[in-house]
Amino acid sequence: MSVLGDEKTRVVVTGATGRQGSFHLGQMLEFGTRVVAGVTPGRQGQEVSGVPVYDTVETAVEKHGANAAVVFVPGTLAKDSVMECIDAGVPLVVVISEHVPLHDAMVINAFAAERGTTIVGPNTYGLCAPSARCKIGIPPNSIFQSGPVGVVARSGTLSYELVGSLTDAGLGQTTVVGMGGDRVAGLNFIDMLKRFERDPETEVVVLIGEIGGTAEEEAAEYIKGMSKPVIAYLAGKSAPPGKRMGHAGAIIERGRGTFESKVSALTAGGAKVAQLPWEVAPLVKGALKA
Amino acid sequence: MSVLGDEKTRVVVTGATGRQGSFHLGQMLEFGTRVVAGVTPGRQGQEVSGVPVYDTVETAVEKHGANAAVVFVPGTLAKDSVMECIDAGVPLVVVISEHVPLHDAMVINAFAAERGTTIVGPNTYGLCAPSARCKIGIPPNSIFQSGPVGVVARSGTLSYELVGSLTDAGLGQTTVVGMGGDRVAGLNFIDMLKRFERDPETEVVVLIGEIGGTAEEEAAEYIKGMSKPVIAYLAGKSAPPGKRMGHAGAIIERGRGTFESKVSALTAGGAKVAQLPWEVAPLVKGALKA
Amino acid sequence: MKLYEYMAKGVLAESGVPIPRGRLCRTPEEAAAACRDLGPVAVKAQVLVGGRGKAGGIKVADTPQAAEAAARQILGMDLKGYTVGSVYCEQKLSISQEIYLSLTFDPSAKRPMLIASASGGMAIEEVPEKAIIKRGIPVAWGLQPYMAYQVARRIGLGATLAREFSDIATKLYRAFVRLDAELVEINPLAVVDGHIMAADARLNVDDDAMARHGDLPKTDEATPLEAKVRALGLAFVQLDGDIAVMANGAGITMATLDVMQHYGGKPMNFLDAGGGSATGPTAEALAILVSTRPKAVLVNIFGGITRCDDVARAIVQVRQNQPAAKDVPLVVRLVGTNEAEGHAILRGAGIDAFRSMQQAAERVVALAGEGLAGAEAARGDTEGDLAG
Amino acid sequence: MKLYEYMAKGVLAESGVPIPRGRLCRTPEEAAAACRDLGPVAVKAQVLVGGRGKAGGIKVADTPQAAEAAARQILGMDLKGYTVGSVYCEQKLSISQEIYLSLTFDPSAKRPMLIASASGGMAIEEVPEKAIIKRGIPVAWGLQPYMAYQVARRIGLGATLAREFSDIATKLYRAFVRLDAELVEINPLAVVDGHIMAADARLNVDDDAMARHGDLPKTDEATPLEAKVRALGLAFVQLDGDIAVMANGAGITMATLDVMQHYGGKPMNFLDAGGGSATGPTAEALAILVSTRPKAVLVNIFGGITRCDDVARAIVQVRQNQPAAKDVPLVVRLVGTNEAEGHAILRGAGIDAFRSMQQAAERVVALAGEGLAGAEAARGDTEGDLAG
């Protein structure tokens, strides 16, 4: 089982005819994801990898019962596309788009909250539920394997690295989710931890965080009450304050969001924090045995 | 019993130290309304007719458990005052203010809908539940009497005229409510008709409409399914098209909102439409006997 | 407040909506000059009423001479009661499609609404309902591009035009909110050389919001008498009858006109004296009405906050201050707070006072020498229903 | 993007927030002239870093001579690594109270937030938590006057000041949204003669929204090297070590720096080559890094969309095109799509290639002659974990 995305998930891809959208639409199909439609205004009637393209999300939902969307449009257009998905009644919207303006991200989240929509991202790689053959987003297909580990992360390639190391160690995943690297994100650590805690198939949770913000500190509070073990890894130990390390959110500002603060909060919360990336898989293995 | 405002209604008056606010605060107290606080920013510590004045609605709610508000501030400031009341958790806000800008009225209503607040007005005389000795607004105290007639109106003085004629004829009221004369109003005819239909003490409903808009036509649809008799009176039979007859909403525009359209809709809906104001009381009497 | 077409176009241009080139002209010579600069033009009367095309208020001119002649014809022309003071000379367009687009509000849904149709160019009331798309706009979020795009596709626009339509509609929406507009209408939104532009524009600003738009140009549709009475802060509409009417409250004023008309009287005006307690403006307004020499005057006051004795004193004063008022029959219906005192004051000054709206209406119609009930009601004089 | 104080003040003034009179000066003579016009002034260094007061970047001058001297001292001064290019001469204020006011966003609540304190004038981090009021702002409705008024009363402002505070805060909020700001901070918001004005101002605009603010003045905090690499569209931060690092993805890049530091290496930079498939900008960035003559270079690529063979070819090309690159030790960790082909290409060009991040990190530190693990890791050369 998975906690987000399953066999019944029918995905519509917005920005489907773009370079990124069309490539990943194909990759998702290859993984087994039920991609039912693409959307690019003005391209109705075309196909991408055999999937029909429509002008509006509304039409894609009407014709194909899409119940998840993945957004590939450029950052400044993402707000419109995401709001269109929400308004069309799509309950899960994964926003791959990078450089979504901060105020747009706030509007997206407020509109989603009003309508009860789950937003993943922006600036995320998406999510993958290996046992359901449901990948919504851009991670490489090869790294996943079905198993008992739930993974939630802020960073993309670091997730690939660590999920790859889990898979290499024979540790498959229930669901892997990227929250995205932006400062204002939809689904957060706590939302996912709650889902993993409830999910009967998830036995251990891997939390991949980084410097900046207080999401990890807030997660630590929740972890205190969890019955399942949490293994954490945090990037940015060597980052100087005041510098934005690639991700909009990865910046130590005004003394908040430091590596030390996060490690001590997570440790206090009962999570085991790996010092180096390759320590994660052994810690997970240990937790599974316990 | 009453359908809006009762013995437990604890009223806060905003704009309490103004000319209108202070006068009507006193009139409400005289009627028996439980006015618990006034609000005027900067006037905390003062009293109006023995009622304490505060700076913010929040404080008035905290200190006195106010659960209804009546707003007397000038039209362009009404949005802020009403939103403050809504945000403070007041479930019923009566907006006396005239000349509230149209877009402000839309914002007020949308915010109220989000929070589940009932708005009466703007540009209304308010409401009165005679048996509960609860008057929230500005109608003269003398015209009301407790009894079985529910009254809902767009116009103020026309309500006084007709309620006065009911009282003179020995026909008391359960609740009398003014929707206000503006184009975008909170509570509408249908909302009130539903409440009257459910209310065990209301036996007949009087609907006082006027030209402009389509509120009466919409009400007529609802009346079709009502078990209680509805007597209607409509003002504006002699009004020419394109002229705004005092109320912002009282204008026949683009062929819509005519007197004839409303009369025929209401008649088709099963309401009895009085041709002249003094025919209302006899028609109510007849309906009560039937 | 309605803006003239040229003002509305100025707002559109500021908001980034494409408009044809054009120039406001107040003389035929200016129109000729505009045509020299712009090439062939449409010379359009600037008035605040609709239907000017059919009424001869728009003429096409291909040469400066023709533009001058057209402007000469239109300037000063009477259009539905309004004199044309200026023309807008706008480059002649070669239009391949006419679209209708407006933003207004939906009183039932309590939110703004986008209305569009592929059948532009005609009045929206004449377009069949099924050719019109209406889209409610959430107040909190405003018109988003995707919403306008969906509408554009539903009225059958192709992909490129739909994108332009969406862009224009969202810009227009921002102006609609920013300016507290009741209505922004572009009809037609014209397709010219494969692109969309606003070939006409109406923009009505909410009167109640004018205080926050001090920078907007002012226009006024009021007649001189309307302007005079409205300046007192009262709602006033001039009608075409001959009995002056004043009441307090919009609803009761309308009902008073209705009742009077029921008895055959012809109201000269709508005047809502308001529900407040101040009698100053009310008295002034009454004085103005009386000075226009109506056949009779009916005052209908339901005293709540307004005290009947104050009203009575104000009426007596108006009659005393205005010599002309002596000859104008005055009928007063007065009920409510301090009613008895009010009636006493009026009777003392020899003015008819009633408690019954019906009798007051019948009486004023009779005094004006109008209506079927005239002869009968005149007799009501002696049995005047005096206050108790 | 951060705005200079004088730019931020310009935005405030446009938005209707009261600011002291002031003028931007680029020479001591201009400062003297400003003082002649404004009277006694504060001469304030215009820099994008905080704490300029303590660092001597603000001087008060009562006479034009003093202003000239102050400007002469401040202009060209080095403030935390940035050279002062201009001063803002602002009328000297007689401040009776200093308030703190800022608008920023709350990542947890996903909405804007108003922060206020009666303890203005000091950095907000130094104000005790209980003296700070934070008020979340609903995205849909924005900051309403009553919200700001409530906050003003809670920080203890009297009725008049609270109203002014509310007015300023709501105007500021509109600017905050209109300009896509991350932060607008007024510290202090000064009480002068019983009224409030903005005595200082910071305004940071969201970089991701710059496309919609083409009219804003541009500022840049980047070092010349940062500017050069960022111009390629890549995230780059200059650090103070000597091993150049490139990886794809912000998280993995941070982790790469961490791991390298763990083994005793000192990273020269953060460079996120992105997750895309294009190798052009990546190769250019690598070439720029190499040209700065680091002690060694570490490339860490996890190939998803990025194909390892493409990356390998790009690396080989950089080495071939840059004579200088030949001498700089280059360590590559490459896994993922087309991994074997990538390793083969690199080995063919004599470049170290690893599958293990650990080994690659140890190796690059050793090659740079740094760290405790240096000697040991250098031996890793022969046992390089080649792709299978």
Side-chain angles (χ1 to χ4, degrees):
Chain A
M1 215 192 84
S2 81
V3 304
L4 207 60
D6 60 25
E7 292 82 356
K8 290 179 188 128
T9 305
R10 301 170 66 79
V11 178
V12 55
V13 176
T14 85
T17 59
R19 200 172 56 84
Q20 292 270 325
S22 57
F23 174 76
H24 288 291
L25 192 158
Q27 290 288 302
M28 284 187 267
L29 282 175
E30 226 167 74
F31 189 78
T33 309
R34 284 142 296 270
V35 180
V36 296
V39 167
T40 302
R43 298 294 178 88
Q44 187 141 339
Q46 296 190 5
E47 286 193 352
V48 173
S49 301
V51 171
V53 173
Y54 298 96
D55 260 345
T56 64
V57 176
E58 204 181 27
T59 318
V61 170
E62 269 167 32
K63 300 219 175 191
H64 300 280
N67 57 10
V70 55
V71 173
F72 281 99
V73 305
T76 48
L77 302 179
K79 180 176 91 171
D80 195 49
S81 187
V82 175
M83 290 183 86
E84 185 185 4
C85 293
I86 295 170
D87 207 0
V90 176
L92 171 64
V93 184
V94 177
V95 191
I96 306 300
S97 318
E98 295 178 304
H99 299 300
V100 174
L102 178 67
H103 284 264
D104 288 5
M106 292 195 281
V107 169
I108 288 169
N109 274 290
F111 189 48
E114 183 188 297
R115 304 293 181 94
T117 310
T118 300
I119 301 287
V120 178
N123 193 14
T124 175
Y125 58 88
L127 60 93
C128 184
S131 72
R133 306 309 298 159
C134 177
K135 184 190 84 167
I136 311 179
I138 61 172
N141 291 345
S142 57
I143 60 172
F144 299 103
Q145 182 182 316
S146 183
V149 186
V151 179
V152 58
R154 277 163 78 179
S155 158
T157 45
L158 187 52
S159 292
Y160 309 165
E161 177 80 32
L162 294 179
V163 170
S165 75
L166 290 173
T167 293
D168 286 352
L171 300 162
Q173 306 89 40
T174 52
T175 309
V176 176
V177 178
M179 293 161 38
D182 281 0
R183 293 164 292 179
V184 167
L187 209 75
N188 64 23
F189 280 135
I190 295 179
D191 298 324
M192 277 311 293
L193 290 174
K194 282 184 185 164
R195 288 167 189 249
F196 285 134
E197 175 73 2
R198 276 198 308 266
D199 175 40
E201 304 197 5
T202 300
E203 295 172 35
V204 187
V205 180
V206 172
L207 181 155
I208 307 171
E210 63 193 35
I211 54 158
T214 55
E216 290 80 3
E217 285 85 339
E218 287 155 21
E221 279 304 303
Y222 180 76
I223 290 171
K224 281 185 184 159
M226 279 179 72
S227 68
K228 298 181 183 177
V230 176
I231 311 299
Y233 175 75
L234 301 167
K237 186 179 185 179
S238 60
K243 300 286 185 183
R244 184 155 283 155
M245 303 304 270
H247 281 156
I251 180 167
I252 298 166
E253 277 177 309
R254 306 181 162 207
R256 291 189 320 166
T258 64
F259 182 82
E260 293 70 27
S261 141
K262 289 171 192 301
V263 170
S264 69
L266 285 166
T267 307
K272 284 210 168 56
V273 182
Q275 292 298 312
L276 291 160
W278 47 87
E279 291 172 10
V280 171
L283 283 170
V284 168
K285 204 164 257 174
L288 279 171
K289 277 185 197 143
Chain B
M1 216 193 82
S2 83
V3 304
L4 207 60
D6 60 25
E7 292 83 356
K8 289 178 190 130
T9 304
R10 300 169 66 78
V11 179
V12 54
V13 177
T14 86
T17 59
R19 200 172 57 83
Q20 292 271 323
S22 58
F23 175 76
H24 288 291
L25 192 159
Q27 290 288 303
M28 284 186 267
L29 283 175
E30 225 167 73
F31 190 78
T33 309
R34 283 141 297 270
V35 180
V36 295
V39 168
T40 301
R43 299 293 179 89
Q44 187 143 336
Q46 296 190 2
E47 285 193 351
V48 172
S49 301
V51 171
V53 174
Y54 299 96
D55 260 345
T56 64
V57 176
E58 207 179 23
T59 317
V61 169
E62 269 167 32
K63 301 219 175 193
H64 300 280
N67 57 10
V70 54
V71 172
F72 280 100
V73 306
T76 49
L77 302 179
K79 182 176 90 170
D80 195 50
S81 187
V82 175
M83 291 182 85
E84 184 185 4
C85 294
I86 295 170
D87 207 1
V90 176
L92 170 65
V93 184
V94 177
V95 191
I96 306 299
S97 318
E98 295 178 305
H99 299 301
V100 173
L102 178 67
H103 284 264
D104 289 5
M106 292 195 281
V107 169
I108 287 169
N109 274 290
F111 189 48
E114 183 188 296
R115 304 294 181 95
T117 310
T118 299
I119 301 288
V120 177
N123 192 15
T124 176
Y125 58 85
L127 60 93
C128 183
S131 72
R133 304 313 296 161
C134 177
K135 183 189 84 168
I136 311 179
I138 61 172
N141 291 346
S142 57
I143 61 173
F144 299 102
Q145 182 182 315
S146 182
V149 186
V151 179
V152 57
R154 278 164 77 180
S155 157
T157 45
L158 188 52
S159 292
Y160 309 165
E161 176 81 33
L162 295 178
V163 170
S165 75
L166 290 173
T167 294
D168 287 350
L171 299 162
Q173 306 89 40
T174 51
T175 309
V176 175
V177 178
M179 293 163 37
D182 282 359
R183 293 164 292 180
V184 168
L187 208 75
N188 64 23
F189 280 136
I190 296 179
D191 297 325
M192 277 311 294
L193 291 173
K194 281 183 185 164
R195 288 169 190 247
F196 285 135
E197 176 73 3
R198 276 198 309 266
D199 175 41
E201 305 198 5
T202 300
E203 296 173 35
V204 188
V205 179
V206 172
L207 181 155
I208 307 171
E210 63 193 34
I211 53 159
T214 55
E216 290 80 3
E217 286 85 338
E218 288 155 21
E221 279 305 303
Y222 179 77
I223 290 170
K224 281 183 185 161
M226 280 178 73
S227 68
K228 297 180 183 176
V230 175
I231 311 299
Y233 175 76
L234 300 168
K237 186 179 185 178
S238 61
K243 299 286 185 184
R244 186 154 283 156
M245 303 304 270
H247 282 157
I251 180 168
I252 298 165
E253 277 177 309
R254 305 180 162 207
R256 291 189 321 166
T258 64
F259 182 81
E260 292 70 27
S261 142
K262 289 172 192 300
V263 170
S264 69
L266 285 167
T267 307
K272 284 209 167 59
V273 182
Q275 292 299 311
L276 291 161
W278 47 87
E279 292 172 9
V280 171
L283 284 171
V284 169
K285 205 163 255 174
L288 278 171
K289 279 184 195 144
Chain C
M1 186 189 72
K2 294 177 184 168
L3 295 189
Y4 288 104
E5 177 197 6
Y6 78 92
M7 294 173 174
K9 288 236 167 100
V11 169
L12 296 194
E14 266 174 40
S15 309
V17 174
I19 58 165
R21 294 165 61 216
R23 196 189 296 170
L24 184 71
C25 303
R26 300 193 180 276
T27 65
E29 293 70 31
E30 284 176 18
C35 182
R36 265 190 292 279
D37 290 357
L38 301 171
V41 289
V43 180
K44 302 157 94 175
Q46 295 300 289
V47 282
L48 298 173
V49 287
R52 66 188 164 164
K54 284 187 188 158
I58 301 180
K59 293 191 188 302
V60 171
D62 289 332
T63 64
Q65 292 74 18
E68 187 170 342
R72 203 175 299 281
Q73 265 188 290
I74 296 172
L75 286 165
M77 158 186 241
D78 182 273
L79 266 181
K80 301 189 176 181
Y82 296 92
T83 306
V84 180
S86 62
V87 292
Y88 188 61
C89 292
E90 187 174 68
Q91 61 174 140
K92 198 173 125 187
L93 300 175
S94 165
I95 297 176
S96 59
Q97 189 186 348
E98 294 191 323
I99 301 162
Y100 175 95
L101 165 62
S102 71
L103 288 162
T104 181
F105 62 99
D106 177 348
S108 311
K110 302 167 194 180
R111 64 182 182 188
M113 160 168 81
L114 172 70
I115 305 177
S117 172
S119 307
M122 56 171 128
I124 193 69
E125 306 88 89
E126 294 159 21
V127 177
E129 198 64 37
K130 67 177 198 303
I132 299 173
I133 300 289
K134 295 180 180 179
R135 171 54 148 114
I137 299 167
V139 177
W141 312 112
L143 181 66
Q144 300 297 320
Y146 76 88
M147 299 175 188
Y149 185 86
Q150 285 171 352
V151 170
R153 294 298 269 160
R154 277 195 212 140
I155 63 166
L157 298 187
T160 308
L161 290 183
R163 245 192 303 268
E164 289 188 16
F165 177 97
S166 166
D167 183 54
I168 288 173
T170 46
K171 284 171 174 165
L172 211 57
Y173 183 80
R174 282 196 287 271
F176 174 73
V177 174
R178 180 169 51 83
L179 293 179
D180 277 297
E182 298 172 353
L183 171 74
V184 190
E185 184 181 78
I186 304 188
N187 186 22
L189 187 63
V191 180
V192 178
D193 295 332
H195 295 285
I196 300 185
M197 57 168 56
D200 196 0
R202 287 176 62 185
L203 200 161
N204 299 356
V205 178
D206 178 11
D207 288 332
D208 289 333
M210 285 305 293
R212 32 191 200 217
H213 301 289
D215 50 338
L216 272 183
K218 299 285 169 293
T219 64
D220 197 353
E221 285 183 278
T223 64
L225 183 62
E226 283 174 345
K228 208 164 156 185
V229 181
R230 287 179 192 168
L232 300 169
L234 303 176
F236 182 82
V237 179
Q238 203 168 349
L239 304 172
D240 52 12
D242 42 28
I243 302 176
V245 179
M246 181 170 92
N248 62 334
I252 196 81
T253 309
M254 275 188 272
T256 306
L257 301 183
D258 295 348
V259 167
M260 214 172 67
Q261 200 175 54
H262 178 80
Y263 288 110
K266 296 193 193 78
M268 195 191 89
N269 68 286
F270 169 101
L271 170 60
D272 172 5
S277 56
T279 52
T282 311
E284 278 189 69
L286 185 60
I288 294 172
L289 282 187
V290 168
S291 73
T292 63
R293 296 301 203 101
K295 281 198 183 159
V297 178
L298 172 60
V299 177
N300 182 8
I301 301 292
F302 191 103
I305 319 165
T306 319
R307 285 164 37 177
C308 293
D309 52 337
D310 285 346
V311 173
R313 264 186 291 270
I315 292 172
V316 168
Q317 217 181 338
V318 167
R319 169 154 289 201
Q320 284 168 348
N321 293 352
Q322 287 237 354
K326 281 261 180 244
D327 314 329
V328 179
L330 190 56
V331 177
V332 181
R333 187 265 186 151
L334 202 55
V335 286
T337 313
N338 294 357
E339 180 180 298
E341 293 89 325
H343 280 248
I345 291 166
L346 291 174
R347 265 179 285 142
I351 297 171
D352 281 346
F354 295 85
R355 278 205 86 240
S356 150
M357 191 164 156
Q358 180 174 10
Q359 290 176 331
E362 287 182 323
R363 173 57 177 263
V364 79
V365 172
L367 288 174
E370 288 172 356
L372 301 168
E376 227 177 298
R379 267 179 283 132
D381 201 359
T382 51
E383 40 178 299
D385 172 27
L386 304 175
Chain D
M1 187 189 73
K2 295 177 182 169
L3 295 189
Y4 288 104
E5 178 197 6
Y6 78 91
M7 293 172 176
K9 288 235 168 101
V11 169
L12 295 193
E14 265 175 41
S15 308
V17 175
I19 58 166
R21 294 166 62 216
R23 196 188 297 169
L24 184 71
C25 303
R26 300 193 181 276
T27 65
E29 293 71 31
E30 284 176 17
C35 181
R36 265 190 293 277
D37 290 356
L38 301 170
V41 290
V43 181
K44 302 156 95 175
Q46 295 300 288
V47 282
L48 299 173
V49 288
R52 67 187 165 165
K54 284 186 189 159
I58 300 180
K59 294 191 187 300
V60 171
D62 289 332
T63 64
Q65 292 73 19
E68 187 170 342
R72 203 174 299 282
Q73 267 188 288
I74 296 172
L75 286 165
M77 160 186 241
D78 182 273
L79 265 180
K80 301 190 176 180
Y82 296 90
T83 305
V84 180
S86 61
V87 292
Y88 187 62
C89 293
E90 187 173 70
Q91 62 175 140
K92 199 172 124 186
L93 300 175
S94 165
I95 298 176
S96 58
Q97 187 184 350
E98 294 191 325
I99 301 161
Y100 175 94
L101 165 62
S102 72
L103 288 162
T104 181
F105 62 100
D106 176 348
S108 311
K110 303 168 194 179
R111 63 181 182 188
M113 163 168 78
L114 172 70
I115 306 177
S117 172
S119 308
M122 57 171 125
I124 194 70
E125 306 88 272
E126 295 158 22
V127 178
E129 197 65 37
K130 68 177 197 305
I132 298 174
I133 300 289
K134 294 181 181 178
R135 171 55 148 114
I137 300 166
V139 177
W141 312 111
L143 181 67
Q144 300 297 321
Y146 75 87
M147 300 175 188
Y149 186 85
Q150 285 171 352
V151 170
R153 295 298 269 161
R154 276 194 213 141
I155 63 167
L157 299 188
T160 308
L161 290 183
R163 244 194 302 269
E164 288 188 18
F165 178 97
S166 166
D167 182 54
I168 288 172
T170 47
K171 283 172 175 165
L172 211 57
Y173 183 80
R174 282 197 286 272
F176 174 73
V177 174
R178 181 168 51 83
L179 294 178
D180 277 297
E182 298 172 355
L183 172 74
V184 190
E185 184 181 76
I186 304 188
N187 187 24
L189 186 64
V191 180
V192 177
D193 294 333
H195 295 286
I196 301 185
M197 56 168 57
D200 196 359
R202 287 176 62 185
L203 200 160
N204 300 355
V205 177
D206 178 11
D207 288 330
D208 289 333
M210 285 305 292
R212 33 191 199 213
H213 300 289
D215 49 338
L216 272 184
K218 299 287 170 291
T219 64
D220 197 354
E221 284 183 279
T223 65
L225 183 63
E226 283 175 344
K228 208 165 156 185
V229 181
R230 287 180 192 168
L232 299 169
L234 303 176
F236 181 83
V237 179
Q238 203 168 350
L239 303 171
D240 52 12
D242 43 27
I243 302 176
V245 179
M246 182 170 91
N248 62 333
I252 195 79
T253 309
M254 275 188 271
T256 305
L257 301 183
D258 294 350
V259 166
M260 215 172 68
Q261 200 176 54
H262 178 79
Y263 287 111
K266 297 195 194 77
M268 193 189 89
N269 69 284
F270 169 100
L271 171 59
D272 173 5
S277 58
T279 51
T282 312
E284 278 189 68
L286 185 60
I288 294 171
L289 283 188
V290 167
S291 72
T292 64
R293 296 302 202 104
K295 282 201 182 159
V297 178
L298 172 61
V299 177
N300 181 10
I301 302 292
F302 192 101
I305 318 164
T306 320
R307 285 163 39 178
C308 291
D309 51 338
D310 286 345
V311 173
R313 264 186 291 269
I315 292 171
V316 169
Q317 218 180 336
V318 167
R319 169 154 293 199
Q320 284 168 349
N321 292 351
Q322 287 235 355
K326 281 262 182 240
D327 313 331
V328 179
L330 190 57
V331 176
V332 181
R333 187 266 185 149
L334 202 55
V335 286
T337 313
N338 295 355
E339 180 180 298
E341 294 88 324
H343 280 248
I345 291 165
L346 291 174
R347 266 178 284 142
I351 298 171
D352 282 346
F354 294 86
R355 278 207 86 238
S356 152
M357 191 163 157
Q358 180 175 11
Q359 290 176 329
E362 288 181 324
R363 173 58 176 263
V364 80
V365 172
L367 287 174
E370 289 172 356
L372 300 169
E376 227 178 296
R379 270 180 280 131
D381 201 359
T382 52
E383 40 176 300
D385 171 27
L386 304 174

